[in-house]
Amino acid sequence: MPRDVPEGLAESLRNRLRKDGPLAFEVLAKDAGAPKDQVRAALQLECLRGRVLFDVSRSTYRPRELMPTPVDEAALRYGNEREARAHRLLGDGSPGSGEVKLTQVHDIVGEGTRIQGEVVDREAVRSFFPSFTMDLEGRVKDASCGCPHFRRSGLREGPCEHMLALRLAYARRRAEEEALRQTPEGRKLIRAETRAYVRRDPATGLEQVYRVSLDGKVVALTWGPRLGDSRHQRLWFDTDTEARTAYFSRLEKLTADGYIDAASTLV
């Protein structure tokens, strides 16, 4: 669901499309008088309401009333009742809200991430301790929880609300970390990390992988096809600052060249 849509912005964009559409996003954002992220959120909201359509082939938005009355976005906010309870458990201030704590996040090289947590369920008047492993494709395995839903059916009927709440808490923390690392202050805190970027070669259809690692004064590069031989390079710098600057410059260049951060596809 889109967030932070200023009052009246969605209606203003819809009226603009009814008058001048179809229009590309950049055209709408230029004259909207609001930041691009808010403009995009407002257009997403109008699409959810069934009043605006995005034309994929032309990359334009255009007005189209799909129903006599707009869809109530509240009815679409959650996919099912367990998902709604999971958001309540995150502590949104509503009656019966809970609390979700990430107690351990363990990255397993080549496998994924093991996530453990504690969920205070005030409606059930007890705490649960869900855990699961999320593989490199974002799929869940080795899950466990002590709640009645999981004891009855495991994952056959989908994850329980406590696992969903833990997954949401993890995704939000990742989003906060990603926002922080885009600032000069946040980057200064990074001493060692590895990022993987992927791009599909339009000529061959093969997926290319570019892995960049920062370790103190060293930047290590590995690149090549996902299935095939890779090339390697290690760069040494005089200071941590020089290595960090070179590391982030390399990441920015990969993004400019059309590579996608593999971590961003899992959040």
Side-chain angles (χ1 to χ4, degrees):
M1 293 292 296
R3 299 179 181 178
D4 302 326
V5 179
E7 184 72 25
L9 179 59
E11 187 71 20
S12 173
L13 291 168
R14 183 170 70 92
N15 290 336
R16 171 77 189 280
L17 288 171
R18 293 179 67 182
K19 178 183 177 182
D20 303 325
L23 295 172
F25 172 77
E26 294 298 332
V27 175
L28 290 164
K30 180 180 178 181
D31 303 324
K36 285 187 176 181
D37 57 340
Q38 293 183 350
V39 174
R40 192 179 301 278
L43 290 168
Q44 290 174 343
L45 182 59
E46 286 300 287
C47 287
L48 283 172
R49 290 170 172 170
R51 301 196 292 189
V52 167
L53 200 65
F54 180 68
D55 190 330
V56 178
S57 63
R58 295 179 174 83
S59 295
T60 57
Y61 288 91
R62 59 186 177 91
R64 184 182 181 188
E65 301 283 349
L66 297 178
M67 301 178 184
T69 57
V71 176
D72 181 5
E73 58 268 21
L76 303 175
R77 186 170 186 83
Y78 305 115
N80 51 51
E81 182 58 31
R82 285 199 304 275
E83 187 177 329
R85 291 198 299 266
H87 282 267
R88 173 182 57 77
L89 288 168
L90 286 166
D92 59 5
S94 60
S97 294
E99 183 180 357
V100 182
K101 303 175 185 177
L102 289 163
T103 56
Q104 186 178 70
V105 178
H106 181 203
D107 291 326
I108 306 172
V109 177
E111 295 185 24
T113 304
R114 181 69 181 172
I115 302 169
Q116 296 175 302
E118 177 184 359
V119 177
V120 180
D121 190 338
R122 293 191 176 91
E123 192 174 83
V125 199
R126 59 169 296 187
S127 294
F128 296 96
F129 300 88
S131 65
F132 55 84
T133 298
M134 188 168 60
D135 68 15
L136 298 176
E137 301 296 329
R139 294 170 298 197
V140 171
K141 61 180 182 179
D142 300 330
S144 67
C145 185
C147 70
H149 173 86
F150 185 83
R151 291 202 307 268
R152 182 183 69 251
S153 59
L155 293 176
R156 291 192 301 274
E157 298 178 10
C160 64
E161 59 262 37
H162 310 102
M163 289 184 190
L164 289 171
L166 185 62
R167 176 67 179 89
L168 287 167
Y170 173 69
R172 291 182 180 183
R173 193 177 86 169
R174 285 290 302 275
E176 292 172 358
E177 291 172 348
E178 285 299 307
L180 179 62
R181 73 190 305 276
Q182 299 303 319
T183 66
E185 296 77 13
R187 290 186 174 185
K188 289 179 181 178
L189 302 175
I190 298 174
R191 296 289 183 271
E193 74 169 17
T194 298
R195 310 286 290 197
Y197 285 72
V198 296
R199 183 181 70 178
R200 190 171 298 280
D201 189 328
T204 64
L206 298 178
E207 193 173 51
Q208 302 290 318
V209 179
Y210 210 117
R211 187 181 300 271
V212 188
S213 298
L214 172 68
D215 187 1
K217 300 178 182 179
V218 179
V219 175
L221 312 172
T222 302
W223 69 96
R226 182 178 292 278
L227 302 176
D229 296 332
S230 299
R231 301 177 63 183
H232 306 272
Q233 184 180 19
R234 293 175 67 84
L235 307 174
W236 282 265
F237 295 85
D238 293 333
T239 65
D240 292 353
T241 301
E242 290 177 336
R244 189 162 49 248
T245 299
Y247 171 75
F248 281 105
S249 295
R250 182 72 60 148
L251 299 187
E252 291 165 0
K253 185 178 186 305
L254 287 171
T255 300
D257 290 343
Y259 282 83
I260 298 174
D261 186 349
S264 68
T265 63
L266 302 180
V267 178

